[in-house]
PDB file of all heavy atoms in Angstrom:
ATOM      1  N   ARG A  45       1.379  19.686   1.404  1.00 71.00           N
ATOM      2  CA  ARG A  45       2.465  19.052   2.134  1.00 71.00           C
ATOM      3  C   ARG A  45       3.530  20.030   2.630  1.00 71.00           C
ATOM      4  O   ARG A  45       4.213  19.758   3.617  1.00 71.00           O
ATOM      5  CB  ARG A  45       3.131  18.011   1.233  1.00 71.00           C
ATOM      6  CG  ARG A  45       2.209  16.902   0.767  1.00 71.00           C
ATOM      7  CD  ARG A  45       1.808  15.971   1.874  1.00 71.00           C
ATOM      8  NE  ARG A  45       2.939  15.199   2.355  1.00 71.00           N
ATOM      9  CZ  ARG A  45       2.945  14.484   3.488  1.00 71.00           C
ATOM     10  NH1 ARG A  45       1.888  14.471   4.257  1.00 71.00           N
ATOM     11  NH2 ARG A  45       4.008  13.806   3.839  1.00 71.00           N
ATOM     12  N   SER A  46       3.683  21.169   1.951  1.00 71.00           N
ATOM     13  CA  SER A  46       4.734  22.104   2.350  1.00 71.00           C
ATOM     14  C   SER A  46       4.259  23.131   3.377  1.00 71.00           C
ATOM     15  O   SER A  46       5.051  23.930   3.866  1.00 71.00           O
ATOM     16  CB  SER A  46       5.275  22.839   1.114  1.00 71.00           C
ATOM     17  OG  SER A  46       4.263  23.622   0.514  1.00 71.00           O
ATOM     18  N   ASN A  47       2.973  23.095   3.723  1.00 68.00           N
ATOM     19  CA  ASN A  47       2.417  24.031   4.703  1.00 68.00           C
ATOM     20  C   ASN A  47       2.304  23.313   6.042  1.00 68.00           C
ATOM     21  O   ASN A  47       1.434  22.467   6.232  1.00 68.00           O
ATOM     22  CB  ASN A  47       1.048  24.535   4.237  1.00 68.00           C
ATOM     23  CG  ASN A  47       0.509  25.655   5.118  1.00 68.00           C
ATOM     24  OD1 ASN A  47       0.734  25.681   6.319  1.00 68.00           O
ATOM     25  ND2 ASN A  47      -0.197  26.584   4.495  1.00 68.00           N
ATOM     26  N   CYS A  48       3.185  23.661   6.979  1.00 67.00           N
ATOM     27  CA  CYS A  48       3.229  22.934   8.248  1.00 67.00           C
ATOM     28  C   CYS A  48       1.972  23.134   9.087  1.00 67.00           C
ATOM     29  O   CYS A  48       1.710  22.367  10.017  1.00 67.00           O
ATOM     30  CB  CYS A  48       4.467  23.329   9.046  1.00 67.00           C
ATOM     31  SG  CYS A  48       4.554  25.083   9.482  1.00 67.00           S
ATOM     32  N   PHE A  49       1.180  24.170   8.773  1.00 66.00           N
ATOM     33  CA  PHE A  49      -0.043  24.430   9.531  1.00 66.00           C
ATOM     34  C   PHE A  49      -1.272  23.744   8.928  1.00 66.00           C
ATOM     35  O   PHE A  49      -2.230  23.436   9.622  1.00 66.00           O
ATOM     36  CB  PHE A  49      -0.301  25.940   9.617  1.00 66.00           C
ATOM     37  CG  PHE A  49       0.779  26.696  10.334  1.00 66.00           C
ATOM     38  CD1 PHE A  49       1.696  27.467   9.632  1.00 66.00           C
ATOM     39  CD2 PHE A  49       0.895  26.622  11.716  1.00 66.00           C
ATOM     40  CE1 PHE A  49       2.702  28.156  10.290  1.00 66.00           C
ATOM     41  CE2 PHE A  49       1.895  27.310  12.387  1.00 66.00           C
ATOM     42  CZ  PHE A  49       2.805  28.074  11.667  1.00 66.00           C
ATOM     43  N   LYS A  50      -1.243  23.507   7.624  1.00 69.00           N
ATOM     44  CA  LYS A  50      -2.402  22.924   6.948  1.00 69.00           C
ATOM     45  C   LYS A  50      -2.145  21.547   6.364  1.00 69.00           C
ATOM     46  O   LYS A  50      -3.068  20.891   5.902  1.00 69.00           O
ATOM     47  CB  LYS A  50      -2.856  23.855   5.810  1.00 69.00           C
ATOM     48  CG  LYS A  50      -3.368  25.207   6.268  1.00 69.00           C
ATOM     49  CD  LYS A  50      -3.855  26.028   5.072  1.00 69.00           C
ATOM     50  CE  LYS A  50      -4.401  27.362   5.499  1.00 69.00           C
ATOM     51  NZ  LYS A  50      -4.884  28.155   4.334  1.00 69.00           N
ATOM     52  N   ARG A  51      -0.895  21.091   6.394  1.00 70.00           N
ATOM     53  CA  ARG A  51      -0.544  19.850   5.720  1.00 70.00           C
ATOM     54  C   ARG A  51      -1.317  18.668   6.274  1.00 70.00           C
ATOM     55  O   ARG A  51      -1.645  18.612   7.453  1.00 70.00           O
ATOM     56  CB  ARG A  51       0.957  19.596   5.836  1.00 70.00           C
ATOM     57  CG  ARG A  51       1.430  19.256   7.232  1.00 70.00           C
ATOM     58  CD  ARG A  51       2.941  19.194   7.326  1.00 70.00           C
ATOM     59  NE  ARG A  51       3.526  18.346   6.309  1.00 70.00           N
ATOM     60  CZ  ARG A  51       4.836  18.276   6.101  1.00 70.00           C
ATOM     61  NH1 ARG A  51       5.664  19.031   6.823  1.00 70.00           N
ATOM     62  NH2 ARG A  51       5.305  17.469   5.185  1.00 70.00           N
ATOM     63  N   LYS A  52      -1.617  17.744   5.411  1.00 76.00           N
ATOM     64  CA  LYS A  52      -2.325  16.518   5.779  1.00 76.00           C
ATOM     65  C   LYS A  52      -1.408  15.330   5.504  1.00 76.00           C
ATOM     66  O   LYS A  52      -0.670  15.323   4.534  1.00 76.00           O
ATOM     67  CB  LYS A  52      -3.616  16.386   4.971  1.00 76.00           C
ATOM     68  CG  LYS A  52      -4.622  17.499   5.238  1.00 76.00           C
ATOM     69  CD  LYS A  52      -5.818  17.365   4.328  1.00 76.00           C
ATOM     70  CE  LYS A  52      -6.821  18.477   4.592  1.00 76.00           C
ATOM     71  NZ  LYS A  52      -6.254  19.804   4.309  1.00 76.00           N
ATOM     72  N   ASN A  53      -1.477  14.345   6.384  1.00 81.00           N
ATOM     73  CA  ASN A  53      -0.739  13.132   6.081  1.00 81.00           C
ATOM     74  C   ASN A  53      -1.626  12.203   5.260  1.00 81.00           C
ATOM     75  O   ASN A  53      -2.803  12.482   5.035  1.00 81.00           O
ATOM     76  CB  ASN A  53      -0.200  12.463   7.358  1.00 81.00           C
ATOM     77  CG  ASN A  53      -1.304  11.940   8.263  1.00 81.00           C
ATOM     78  OD1 ASN A  53      -2.298  11.373   7.796  1.00 81.00           O
ATOM     79  ND2 ASN A  53      -1.136  12.107   9.568  1.00 81.00           N
ATOM     80  N   HIS A  54      -1.066  11.102   4.837  1.00 84.00           N
ATOM     81  CA  HIS A  54      -1.793  10.236   3.904  1.00 84.00           C
ATOM     82  C   HIS A  54      -2.980   9.530   4.550  1.00 84.00           C
ATOM     83  O   HIS A  54      -3.950   9.199   3.877  1.00 84.00           O
ATOM     84  CB  HIS A  54      -0.829   9.229   3.282  1.00 84.00           C
ATOM     85  CG  HIS A  54       0.209   9.867   2.416  1.00 84.00           C
ATOM     86  ND1 HIS A  54       1.401  10.338   2.920  1.00 84.00           N
ATOM     87  CD2 HIS A  54       0.220  10.143   1.090  1.00 84.00           C
ATOM     88  CE1 HIS A  54       2.120  10.872   1.933  1.00 84.00           C
ATOM     89  NE2 HIS A  54       1.430  10.757   0.815  1.00 84.00           N
ATOM     90  N   LEU A  55      -2.922   9.314   5.853  1.00 82.00           N
ATOM     91  CA  LEU A  55      -4.052   8.705   6.547  1.00 82.00           C
ATOM     92  C   LEU A  55      -5.190   9.691   6.752  1.00 82.00           C
ATOM     93  O   LEU A  55      -6.357   9.310   6.771  1.00 82.00           O
ATOM     94  CB  LEU A  55      -3.606   8.145   7.906  1.00 82.00           C
ATOM     95  CG  LEU A  55      -2.674   6.934   7.889  1.00 82.00           C
ATOM     96  CD1 LEU A  55      -2.313   6.535   9.316  1.00 82.00           C
ATOM     97  CD2 LEU A  55      -3.298   5.755   7.174  1.00 82.00           C
ATOM     98  N   ASP A  56      -4.854  10.986   6.900  1.00 81.00           N
ATOM     99  CA  ASP A  56      -5.876  12.016   7.095  1.00 81.00           C
ATOM    100  C   ASP A  56      -6.880  12.036   5.951  1.00 81.00           C
ATOM    101  O   ASP A  56      -8.048  12.382   6.142  1.00 81.00           O
ATOM    102  CB  ASP A  56      -5.229  13.407   7.208  1.00 81.00           C
ATOM    103  CG  ASP A  56      -4.493  13.615   8.518  1.00 81.00           C
ATOM    104  OD1 ASP A  56      -4.843  12.927   9.501  1.00 81.00           O
ATOM    105  OD2 ASP A  56      -3.585  14.454   8.552  1.00 81.00           O
ATOM    106  N   VAL A  57      -6.425  11.675   4.773  1.00 84.00           N
ATOM    107  CA  VAL A  57      -7.280  11.705   3.589  1.00 84.00           C
ATOM    108  C   VAL A  57      -8.499  10.803   3.783  1.00 84.00           C
ATOM    109  O   VAL A  57      -9.628  11.161   3.447  1.00 84.00           O
ATOM    110  CB  VAL A  57      -6.480  11.275   2.342  1.00 84.00           C
ATOM    111  CG1 VAL A  57      -7.401  11.031   1.157  1.00 84.00           C
ATOM    112  CG2 VAL A  57      -5.444  12.343   1.991  1.00 84.00           C
ATOM    113  N   LEU A  58      -8.282   9.620   4.361  1.00 86.00           N
ATOM    114  CA  LEU A  58      -9.381   8.674   4.542  1.00 86.00           C
ATOM    115  C   LEU A  58     -10.414   9.204   5.526  1.00 86.00           C
ATOM    116  O   LEU A  58     -11.611   8.886   5.417  1.00 86.00           O
ATOM    117  CB  LEU A  58      -8.843   7.326   5.027  1.00 86.00           C
ATOM    118  CG  LEU A  58      -8.374   6.341   3.954  1.00 86.00           C
ATOM    119  CD1 LEU A  58      -7.151   6.878   3.220  1.00 86.00           C
ATOM    120  CD2 LEU A  58      -8.083   4.979   4.542  1.00 86.00           C
ATOM    121  N   LYS A  59      -9.978  10.003   6.484  1.00 83.00           N
ATOM    122  CA  LYS A  59     -10.888  10.529   7.490  1.00 83.00           C
ATOM    123  C   LYS A  59     -11.911  11.500   6.912  1.00 83.00           C
ATOM    124  O   LYS A  59     -12.888  11.850   7.575  1.00 83.00           O
ATOM    125  CB  LYS A  59     -10.093  11.222   8.598  1.00 83.00           C
ATOM    126  CG  LYS A  59      -9.129  10.299   9.333  1.00 83.00           C
ATOM    127  CD  LYS A  59      -8.261  11.069  10.316  1.00 83.00           C
ATOM    128  CE  LYS A  59      -7.222  10.161  10.956  1.00 83.00           C
ATOM    129  NZ  LYS A  59      -6.300  10.896  11.863  1.00 83.00           N
ATOM    130  N   LEU A  60     -11.695  11.921   5.669  1.00 82.00           N
ATOM    131  CA  LEU A  60     -12.615  12.844   5.016  1.00 82.00           C
ATOM    132  C   LEU A  60     -13.765  12.122   4.320  1.00 82.00           C
ATOM    133  O   LEU A  60     -14.707  12.768   3.867  1.00 82.00           O
ATOM    134  CB  LEU A  60     -11.855  13.686   3.977  1.00 82.00           C
ATOM    135  CG  LEU A  60     -10.701  14.539   4.504  1.00 82.00           C
ATOM    136  CD1 LEU A  60      -9.937  15.161   3.342  1.00 82.00           C
ATOM    137  CD2 LEU A  60     -11.215  15.609   5.439  1.00 82.00           C
ATOM    138  N   LEU A  61     -13.683  10.802   4.248  1.00 83.00           N
ATOM    139  CA  LEU A  61     -14.674  10.031   3.493  1.00 83.00           C
ATOM    140  C   LEU A  61     -15.756   9.461   4.408  1.00 83.00           C
ATOM    141  O   LEU A  61     -15.456   8.949   5.491  1.00 83.00           O
ATOM    142  CB  LEU A  61     -13.983   8.883   2.759  1.00 83.00           C
ATOM    143  CG  LEU A  61     -12.977   9.309   1.693  1.00 83.00           C
ATOM    144  CD1 LEU A  61     -12.168   8.109   1.223  1.00 83.00           C
ATOM    145  CD2 LEU A  61     -13.700   9.950   0.508  1.00 83.00           C
ATOM    146  N   PRO A  62     -17.015   9.538   3.980  1.00 78.00           N
ATOM    147  CA  PRO A  62     -18.130   9.041   4.799  1.00 78.00           C
ATOM    148  C   PRO A  62     -17.970   7.593   5.237  1.00 78.00           C
ATOM    149  O   PRO A  62     -18.350   7.225   6.350  1.00 78.00           O
ATOM    150  CB  PRO A  62     -19.341   9.204   3.869  1.00 78.00           C
ATOM    151  CG  PRO A  62     -18.959  10.303   2.941  1.00 78.00           C
ATOM    152  CD  PRO A  62     -17.478  10.146   2.724  1.00 78.00           C
ATOM    153  N   SER A  63     -17.388   6.756   4.382  1.00 75.00           N
ATOM    154  CA  SER A  63     -17.270   5.327   4.699  1.00 75.00           C
ATOM    155  C   SER A  63     -16.319   5.063   5.861  1.00 75.00           C
ATOM    156  O   SER A  63     -16.363   3.991   6.474  1.00 75.00           O
ATOM    157  CB  SER A  63     -16.813   4.549   3.464  1.00 75.00           C
ATOM    158  OG  SER A  63     -15.594   5.075   2.963  1.00 75.00           O
ATOM    159  N   PHE A  64     -15.451   6.020   6.181  1.00 75.00           N
ATOM    160  CA  PHE A  64     -14.507   5.837   7.275  1.00 75.00           C
ATOM    161  C   PHE A  64     -14.909   6.599   8.536  1.00 75.00           C
ATOM    162  O   PHE A  64     -14.350   6.380   9.598  1.00 75.00           O
ATOM    163  CB  PHE A  64     -13.099   6.272   6.849  1.00 75.00           C
ATOM    164  CG  PHE A  64     -12.443   5.319   5.900  1.00 75.00           C
ATOM    165  CD1 PHE A  64     -12.553   5.491   4.535  1.00 75.00           C
ATOM    166  CD2 PHE A  64     -11.719   4.236   6.375  1.00 75.00           C
ATOM    167  CE1 PHE A  64     -11.948   4.607   3.637  1.00 75.00           C
ATOM    168  CE2 PHE A  64     -11.111   3.344   5.496  1.00 75.00           C
ATOM    169  CZ  PHE A  64     -11.226   3.531   4.127  1.00 75.00           C
ATOM    170  N   ILE A  65     -15.872   7.509   8.410  1.00 68.00           N
ATOM    171  CA  ILE A  65     -16.309   8.299   9.560  1.00 68.00           C
ATOM    172  C   ILE A  65     -17.132   7.421  10.498  1.00 68.00           C
ATOM    173  O   ILE A  65     -18.066   6.747  10.087  1.00 68.00           O
ATOM    174  CB  ILE A  65     -17.139   9.513   9.109  1.00 68.00           C
ATOM    175  CG1 ILE A  65     -16.264  10.475   8.298  1.00 68.00           C
ATOM    176  CG2 ILE A  65     -17.730  10.245  10.317  1.00 68.00           C
ATOM    177  CD1 ILE A  65     -17.020  11.633   7.689  1.00 68.00           C
ATOM    178  N   GLY A  66     -16.766   7.421  11.774  1.00 63.00           N
ATOM    179  CA  GLY A  66     -17.538   6.678  12.761  1.00 63.00           C
ATOM    180  C   GLY A  66     -17.196   5.216  12.887  1.00 63.00           C
ATOM    181  O   GLY A  66     -17.833   4.491  13.657  1.00 63.00           O
ATOM    182  N   GLN A  67     -16.183   4.741  12.139  1.00 64.00           N
ATOM    183  CA  GLN A  67     -15.824   3.329  12.283  1.00 64.00           C
ATOM    184  C   GLN A  67     -15.177   3.096  13.637  1.00 64.00           C
ATOM    185  O   GLN A  67     -14.615   4.006  14.248  1.00 64.00           O
ATOM    186  CB  GLN A  67     -14.915   2.877  11.147  1.00 64.00           C
ATOM    187  CG  GLN A  67     -13.512   3.430  11.156  1.00 64.00           C
ATOM    188  CD  GLN A  67     -12.653   2.807  10.052  1.00 64.00           C
ATOM    189  OE1 GLN A  67     -13.158   2.235   9.107  1.00 64.00           O
ATOM    190  NE2 GLN A  67     -11.353   2.939  10.194  1.00 64.00           N
ATOM    191  N   GLU A  68     -15.274   1.883  14.112  1.00 58.00           N
ATOM    192  CA  GLU A  68     -14.881   1.582  15.487  1.00 58.00           C
ATOM    193  C   GLU A  68     -13.379   1.691  15.719  1.00 58.00           C
ATOM    194  O   GLU A  68     -12.939   2.185  16.738  1.00 58.00           O
ATOM    195  CB  GLU A  68     -15.364   0.172  15.857  1.00 58.00           C
ATOM    196  CG  GLU A  68     -16.888   0.063  15.906  1.00 58.00           C
ATOM    197  CD  GLU A  68     -17.328  -1.328  16.324  1.00 58.00           C
ATOM    198  OE1 GLU A  68     -16.452  -2.183  16.581  1.00 58.00           O
ATOM    199  OE2 GLU A  68     -18.550  -1.554  16.382  1.00 58.00           O
ATOM    200  N   HIS A  69     -12.566   1.215  14.770  1.00 64.00           N
ATOM    201  CA  HIS A  69     -11.125   1.224  15.005  1.00 64.00           C
ATOM    202  C   HIS A  69     -10.470   2.427  14.321  1.00 64.00           C
ATOM    203  O   HIS A  69     -11.007   2.995  13.383  1.00 64.00           O
ATOM    204  CB  HIS A  69     -10.481  -0.075  14.507  1.00 64.00           C
ATOM    205  CG  HIS A  69     -10.453  -0.206  13.017  1.00 64.00           C
ATOM    206  ND1 HIS A  69     -11.515  -0.681  12.287  1.00 64.00           N
ATOM    207  CD2 HIS A  69      -9.487   0.096  12.101  1.00 64.00           C
ATOM    208  CE1 HIS A  69     -11.215  -0.678  11.010  1.00 64.00           C
ATOM    209  NE2 HIS A  69      -9.980  -0.222  10.855  1.00 64.00           N
TER     210      HIS A  69
END
Side-chain angles (χ1 to χ4, degrees):
R45 300 290 293 167
S46 63
N47 188 326
C48 61
F49 298 105
K50 295 183 179 180
R51 69 188 309 172
K52 297 175 180 62
N53 66 41
H54 295 87
L55 291 179
D56 288 336
V57 169
L58 274 66
K59 299 174 185 177
L60 301 172
L61 296 169
S63 56
F64 287 92
I65 295 174
Q67 70 175 18
E68 294 182 1
H69 70 276

